[in-house]
Amino acid sequence: MVRWSNLISRDNSMISFRVANMTAGIATAMISMLGATNIVHAEAITIGIGHQSMCTDTYAAGIIVKELKLLEKHLPRSGKYVDVTYNLKWDDYASGGPITNQMLAGKLDIGVMGDYPVIVNGAKFQATKSLNTSLVSSTGYNLRGAGNAIVVPASSNVYSLAQLKGRSISTPYGSAAWGMLIKALEDAHISLSDVDLKNQAPSVGAANIATGKIDAHADFCPWSEIMEYRGTGRKIYDGSQTGVPYLHGVVVRKDFVDKYPEIIVAFIKAIHDAGEWLKKDPALAAAQMEKWTGVEKEVLYLYYSRGGHLTVDPTLKPQWIETLEFDHGVLARADLSPPLDFKEWVDDRYVKKAYAELGLDYAAQSKEIVDPLIANRDLPNEIWHAKDGILSYPTTAAFLKAAADFQATGVKINAAYVYDHDTGLKLFGTTAFYVRNKDGSYTAFLRKDPAETYAAKTGGEVSTFTEAIARQAI
């Protein structure tokens, strides 16, 4: 018979060992629980960003920041952000309108869009009486208004806006091009009832232009140039004709920026870095962006090269606020936008702080405005040679002679670029109109009508690119 006293006596050391192990186990479990508690309470911040990979003027706050991970470089990691886990949610949209809808639904915090969409964004939010967005920075601009355009099929006999009366025009509703079209029709004294206006996404409108299923399509950057480059469409109206600068900017839900102001400062720093990357080597940047977006590098170069359509600049210049107020008036007169309190909406504190932390002079930058007519006056014409890259020519006559020589020898030219006489805007040389002057020099024009007017005054002769290089080959 085994006595309990013997068992207890014999297993005393074992009981002590087990108790000690149980104590250690409890301690370990408690430490693990505390660790788990810390993990649970460490903040995870999701940043929803709506961008447009098929809108070039948003790239500096969109696809470039995303692909080069520039935001990650600047996100705050100290203070209240020391244990934060960031979840970046990039959503790609065909135009600005859907971005606003997603921001209103609380699914996006930051939106990158053009001038008219950004206005509608601010106005729609203010109309809720409970929600707001803030315009916190620009992304880029063209002082002359280039970027939007109205395009007709390449074979169309339409050359002016007046000829579109009674015809079908499509545009992405709520987009920058939609706003431009409203302004263009207003200037031409053409009412909306005079045209058959259709809502079509950029890719749909471009496809319909290529197949001749629509008389005209109004779109934003770079769709008009895509159609020109592919030979399916021809511009009859350029945004520069409105006389209104073309702008893009960044709006942020106010509840988000109020809670995380440092994140918005970081985002603007990333926009600045994207601009510097673009300026460093525009041709290389264009080739890289083609891989990300599918937009031909030759089209992207038209925007980002020296003298190109886009001036990358995050600053909120006073002139841009005046422009947006004017644009809002266009929409309000057509009953297409609620009221917008600009004083409540525009908030430049974050872009100023970003510049200060980067050691940059915000005041000086905000005063600088690039006018293509002045800045591009002495820039050389260019040919993107398939083998030798970008080649420059000091005169239009030399440019046309080189193009004729390349064509004669069967050398492939990726693209050619010249500058419009009236605006200084960079153009595809293949779509420009040329006036041969009496002294043998050439002057390039974006549209046929101004070329004919200039030729009538100077005694020159108007020709297309094909006709001009044929003359050079003689």
Side-chain angles (χ1 to χ4, degrees):
M1 180 175 171
V2 179
R3 294 180 181 275
W4 285 106
S5 58
N6 290 340
L7 274 175
I8 291 170
S9 174
R10 188 175 60 195
D11 291 339
N12 242 353
S13 58
M14 183 60 70
I15 290 169
S16 298
F17 174 77
R18 286 174 178 170
V19 169
N21 274 312
M22 285 174 66
T23 303
I26 291 168
T28 302
M30 289 178 68
I31 291 169
S32 297
M33 287 173 67
L34 286 170
T37 301
N38 285 338
I39 292 171
V40 169
H41 289 289
E43 189 174 9
I45 301 176
T46 296
I47 309 171
I49 307 164
H51 70 113
Q52 302 172 66
S53 66
M54 291 301 291
C55 177
T56 45
D57 286 13
T58 68
Y59 285 7
I63 195 71
I64 298 172
V65 174
K66 175 179 181 286
E67 295 296 335
L68 297 183
K69 300 187 182 302
L70 298 177
L71 179 55
E72 289 89 328
K73 170 184 169 184
H74 291 291
L75 283 171
R77 307 284 180 183
S78 60
K80 69 178 182 181
Y81 299 98
V82 70
D83 291 320
V84 161
T85 299
Y86 291 106
N87 174 29
L88 303 187
K89 179 174 170 283
W90 291 90
D91 287 349
D92 195 356
Y93 295 88
S95 61
I99 296 176
T100 290
N101 293 338
Q102 293 299 300
M103 291 180 74
L104 281 165
K107 295 180 180 179
L108 292 175
D109 307 297
I110 300 171
V112 190
M113 58 189 83
D115 39 25
Y116 286 96
V118 86
I119 290 165
V120 173
N121 176 281
K124 279 190 172 182
F125 265 86
Q126 287 186 5
T128 68
K129 306 298 184 184
S130 60
L131 299 171
N132 272 307
T133 53
S134 295
L135 177 67
V136 296
S137 85
S138 174
T139 62
Y141 67 92
N142 184 283
L143 181 65
R144 293 280 165 176
N148 295 311
I150 302 172
V151 175
V152 297
S155 59
S156 172
N157 61 358
V158 173
Y159 284 88
S160 70
L161 201 60
Q163 291 177 272
L164 290 177
K165 276 190 175 183
R167 299 183 187 240
S168 57
I169 308 175
S170 68
T171 190
Y173 280 11
S175 70
W178 166 76
M180 179 272 299
L181 177 61
I182 300 300
K183 175 67 165 64
L185 293 174
E186 180 184 72
D187 290 348
H189 305 291
I190 300 173
S191 71
L192 291 176
S193 61
D194 289 332
V195 296
D196 179 15
L197 190 60
K198 301 177 184 295
N199 182 15
Q200 291 184 343
S203 57
V204 175
N208 286 338
I209 285 290
T211 56
K213 292 180 179 178
I214 194 85
D215 294 314
H217 179 67
D219 222 325
F220 50 81
C221 55
W223 284 97
S224 301
E225 289 75 27
I226 288 175
M227 287 181 269
E228 283 186 315
Y229 182 74
R230 296 175 184 175
T232 59
R234 170 172 49 81
K235 284 184 187 180
I236 63 162
Y237 188 93
D238 186 79
S240 60
Q241 291 173 252
T242 64
V244 181
Y246 182 43
L247 314 171
H248 280 71
V250 177
V251 281
V252 184
R253 278 185 59 114
K254 198 168 187 308
D255 53 0
F256 184 88
V257 69
D258 285 348
K259 188 174 183 180
Y260 305 118
E262 297 85 358
I263 291 177
I264 300 308
V265 171
F267 190 78
I268 296 170
K269 289 179 182 178
I271 297 173
H272 171 269
D273 286 358
E276 294 303 300
W277 178 77
L278 285 166
K279 294 172 190 174
K280 185 177 180 181
D281 191 334
L284 184 63
Q288 184 61 58
M289 289 186 291
E290 179 181 30
K291 296 176 182 177
W292 298 335
T293 67
V295 179
E296 291 89 340
K297 62 183 182 297
E298 294 82 2
V299 173
L300 295 172
Y301 186 78
L302 181 65
Y303 275 85
Y304 294 109
S305 59
R306 187 184 178 201
H309 284 353
L310 182 63
T311 300
V312 179
D313 184 347
T315 62
L316 287 172
K317 306 178 191 299
Q319 294 92 327
W320 296 168
I321 309 309
E322 293 173 5
T323 297
L324 293 174
E325 289 176 337
F326 175 86
D327 291 342
H328 180 260
V330 173
L331 296 181
R333 285 192 297 275
D335 198 24
L336 295 170
S337 173
L340 177 58
D341 183 340
F342 278 80
K343 289 183 179 179
E344 181 181 340
W345 181 52
V346 179
D347 194 339
D348 62 4
R349 290 177 297 168
Y350 309 101
V351 65
K352 286 180 176 178
K353 186 169 178 57
Y355 266 65
E357 292 182 3
L358 290 170
L360 302 172
D361 189 338
Y362 182 85
Q365 182 64 42
S366 63
K367 292 176 183 176
E368 183 179 315
I369 297 179
V370 176
D371 183 348
L373 187 60
I374 298 171
N376 298 353
R377 183 174 292 155
D378 298 319
L379 293 184
N381 299 310
E382 295 173 317
I383 290 176
W384 194 328
H385 190 282
K387 181 180 177 182
D388 298 332
I390 309 295
L391 306 176
S392 299
Y393 302 90
T395 67
T396 306
F399 158 83
L400 290 169
K401 180 66 168 66
D405 292 344
F406 287 140
Q407 186 179 75
T409 56
V411 173
K412 185 178 184 300
I413 296 175
N414 286 356
Y417 307 95
V418 296
Y419 297 91
D420 177 50
H421 174 268
D422 289 346
T423 62
L425 294 173
K426 197 166 195 170
L427 318 170
F428 282 125
T430 51
T431 62
F433 293 91
Y434 298 87
V435 175
R436 185 175 185 270
N437 303 305
K438 289 182 177 180
D439 62 0
S441 64
Y442 283 83
T443 305
F445 288 85
L446 166 66
R447 297 180 299 113
K448 188 177 183 181
D449 287 352
E452 291 176 337
T453 301
Y454 181 85
K457 289 181 179 178
T458 61
E461 180 184 351
V462 179
S463 62
T464 63
F465 176 74
T466 301
E467 291 166 344
I469 63 173
R471 182 186 290 275
Q472 296 297 316
I474 296 174

